[in-house]
Amino acid sequence: EVQLVESGGVVVQPGGSLRLSCAASGFTFDDYTMHWVRQAPGKGLEWVSLISWDGGSTYYADSVKGRFTISRDNSKNSLYLQMNSLRTEDTALYYCAKDIGNHYGFDYWGQGTLVTVSS
Amino acid sequence: QSVLTQPPSASGTPGQRVTISCSGSSSNIGSNYVYWYQQLPGTAPKLLIYRNNQRPSGVPDRFSGSKSGTSASLAISGLRSEDEADYYCAAWDDSLSAVVFGGGTKLTVL
């Protein structure tokens, strides 16, 4: 059974930093592209970033480019999101999602971890 | 403002057929697969349709997807109360090098 478990969400001040983690199990982690998707309270879904199976390719939404860094450790079946220069508009539930197979769709999602940026 | 355009709301009575539209452009829907996600209240999104019109195992055949040009649609037939949820379309955008979502459609079963 595929499982994605996010962690690391906390309350942080504007300008602060945070690293989110996603522990994956139930599939061959290093075969798949992985994504982060976020959802602000009461709002729709917003894609944040993706990383290829080997970490060689990364893409970011314009809203986070230059501030967030996606990475992975295939030896630990783990995905990460380093978030710097946080803004109040980054407040959201952050989901880790597995790619369906290099077609940029998400076939499995975690339950999310809440990041609140507030002074 | 979302790159893909969906109606903010839709509704129907039990047993009815409802369609939700998703409009994009040549750089997203026009040249890439469309995906649909269902988000029940208080839960994580779930894949409903992949590669325009394919259903994952476990998704009832009441749900169907289609694509034509730069638009896509999700149809739900035999509407049931448990279908009340938010529905999102998504696709890769070649110009943005990003996954883009629609703003979501809240489906109400009357």
Side-chain angles (χ1 to χ4, degrees):
Chain A
E1 178 197 2
V2 172
Q3 282 199 316
L4 299 170
V5 180
E6 303 93 337
S7 61
V10 292
V11 178
V12 61
Q13 290 190 335
S17 297
L18 197 57
R19 188 172 92 148
L20 304 183
S21 299
C22 171
S25 61
F27 65 101
T28 305
F29 183 70
D30 55 12
D31 276 352
Y32 291 94
T33 292
M34 296 294 294
H35 302 256
W36 288 99
V37 178
R38 68 184 181 183
Q39 186 170 34
K43 302 296 185 183
L45 300 172
E46 179 188 17
W47 175 81
V48 174
S49 182
L50 75 81
I51 185 167
S52 61
W53 66 274
D54 62 350
S57 293
T58 58
Y59 293 92
Y60 298 91
D62 285 345
S63 58
V64 307
K65 206 170 289 183
R67 300 187 300 122
F68 290 10
T69 302
I70 191 171
S71 63
R72 65 191 296 162
D73 185 338
N74 287 343
S75 68
K76 295 182 178 179
N77 287 354
S78 292
L79 175 71
Y80 306 101
L81 185 68
Q82 178 66 41
M83 310 165 68
N84 298 331
S85 303
L86 282 161
R87 305 168 180 167
T88 55
E89 55 264 37
D90 295 319
T91 293
L93 188 60
Y94 283 75
Y95 293 104
C96 164
K98 172 186 169 293
D99 196 280
I100 196 167
N102 294 324
H103 287 290
Y104 309 122
F106 321 116
D107 57 354
Y108 290 94
W109 300 65
Q111 288 305 301
T113 186
L114 182 62
V115 173
T116 303
V117 184
S118 173
S119 54
Chain B
Q1 192 81 344
S2 301
V3 174
L4 304 183
T5 301
Q6 296 180 235
S9 64
S11 63
T13 56
Q16 269 192 330
R17 184 177 187 269
V18 169
T19 58
I20 297 172
S21 62
C22 176
S23 177
S25 68
S26 58
S27 63
N28 43 65
I29 292 178
S31 52
N32 293 292
Y33 290 124
V34 177
Y35 297 83
W36 289 91
Y37 303 94
Q38 177 193 58
Q39 188 174 33
L40 297 169
T43 70
K46 167 191 164 184
L47 179 65
L48 201 60
I49 296 289
Y50 66 100
R51 295 177 195 165
N52 304 332
N53 55 18
Q54 302 299 301
R55 277 187 312 277
S57 60
V59 173
D61 59 7
R62 301 186 297 105
F63 295 90
S64 62
S66 64
K67 174 181 136 175
S68 178
T70 59
S71 293
S73 291
L74 172 71
I76 309 171
S77 60
L79 201 60
R80 303 174 69 157
S81 58
E82 57 259 41
D83 298 334
E84 196 160 275
D86 293 324
Y87 293 84
Y88 296 90
C89 60
W92 178 257
D93 190 295
D94 292 331
S95 297
L96 298 173
S97 293
V99 175
V100 292
F101 279 98
T105 299
K106 184 176 185 61
L107 175 64
T108 301
V109 181
L110 302 169

